[in-house]
Amino acid sequence: MRYVRWSAAAIIVAVGAAAFRLSFTTLRDLAVLAHIPAQDAWLFPLIVDGTILLATFGVLVCTGAPERRFFLGVLVIGSAVSVAGNSLHAVAAGNALPGWASALVAAIAPISLLADTHGLALLVRVAQRNSAPVQVPAAVVDEMAEDLAASELVADPASEPERVPVAAPDFRPVPKPVPVQPVRSRPVQTMLPIAVPVGGVS
């Protein structure tokens, strides 16, 4: 798939370069046939193709903006002028253009200047609009704050931690200590020695 993409991109670049080369040469010759000096004739195709490129960029940048209609109109008109110029060059077959056709070719340059200048101003306005901070109404901000406060007050049962049962404390009374009476010891009597006769008792 990657090779297909690269091949398609290469084909587009090659076709675009060839088309620009042929269109440039044809429009330059058309400018010469319209009595434009030969040393300045190369500017005519730059004016036409440059206006088309500017209109294309404007259509891409101003997506969803009201200024996009202007660039669409310039793109359609510029493309029509380029196609008509190439066709007129083929019909002229190297002969000088009549007065009315030369007047139309000469009018393209100032009209393109007006269109390009206005298009640049529109692009600057769109860029400033996109970079400006969005102003949120105060009522919307207050409503969002109230909703946030209400959501914080309402507890979510699923978010509460699981409670672990704790055994109740035992409050049994502690028995009082019983005093122990000391045990009196009996007096020990001294035993007298007893004489036992040797040889036993007869």
Side-chain angles (χ1 to χ4, degrees):
M1 190 65 180
R2 181 180 303 176
Y3 297 104
V4 175
R5 294 178 182 176
W6 283 106
S7 300
I11 292 173
I12 292 174
V13 172
V15 172
F20 177 80
R21 172 65 179 175
L22 291 178
S23 179
F24 181 88
T25 303
T26 302
L27 293 179
R28 183 187 59 187
D29 294 343
L30 181 65
V32 174
L33 297 178
H35 309 289
I36 295 178
Q39 63 271 16
D40 297 332
W42 63 273
L43 295 174
F44 181 71
L46 291 182
I47 293 173
V48 176
D49 294 337
T51 302
I52 294 175
L53 289 177
L54 177 63
T56 303
F57 292 151
V59 170
L60 296 176
V61 172
C62 299
T63 303
E67 292 82 3
R68 192 170 187 264
R69 297 180 180 178
F70 171 79
F71 291 106
L72 279 175
V74 174
L75 179 60
V76 172
I77 296 175
S79 301
V81 169
S82 180
V83 173
N86 283 270
S87 302
L88 184 60
H89 176 269
V91 173
N95 299 321
L97 297 179
W100 63 270
S102 299
L104 291 178
V105 173
I108 291 176
I111 294 176
S112 297
L113 177 61
L114 293 175
D116 294 344
T117 305
H118 184 64
L120 179 61
L122 293 180
L123 290 177
V124 172
R125 184 169 65 184
V126 171
Q128 292 178 351
R129 183 192 307 157
N130 294 336
S131 61
V134 180
Q135 299 293 337
V136 181
V140 178
V141 176
D142 296 340
E143 184 178 357
M144 293 175 61
E146 293 177 359
D147 294 342
L148 181 60
S151 62
E152 291 179 354
L153 293 177
V154 178
D156 188 4
S159 61
E160 293 184 355
E162 183 179 359
R163 297 182 179 180
V164 179
V166 180
D170 190 2
F171 295 101
R172 296 179 181 179
V174 179
K176 296 182 179 180
V178 179
V180 180
Q181 299 294 333
V183 179
R184 297 179 180 180
S185 58
R186 296 178 180 180
V188 180
Q189 297 179 357
T190 304
M191 301 295 295
L192 297 176
I194 301 174
V196 179
V198 179
V201 178
S202 56

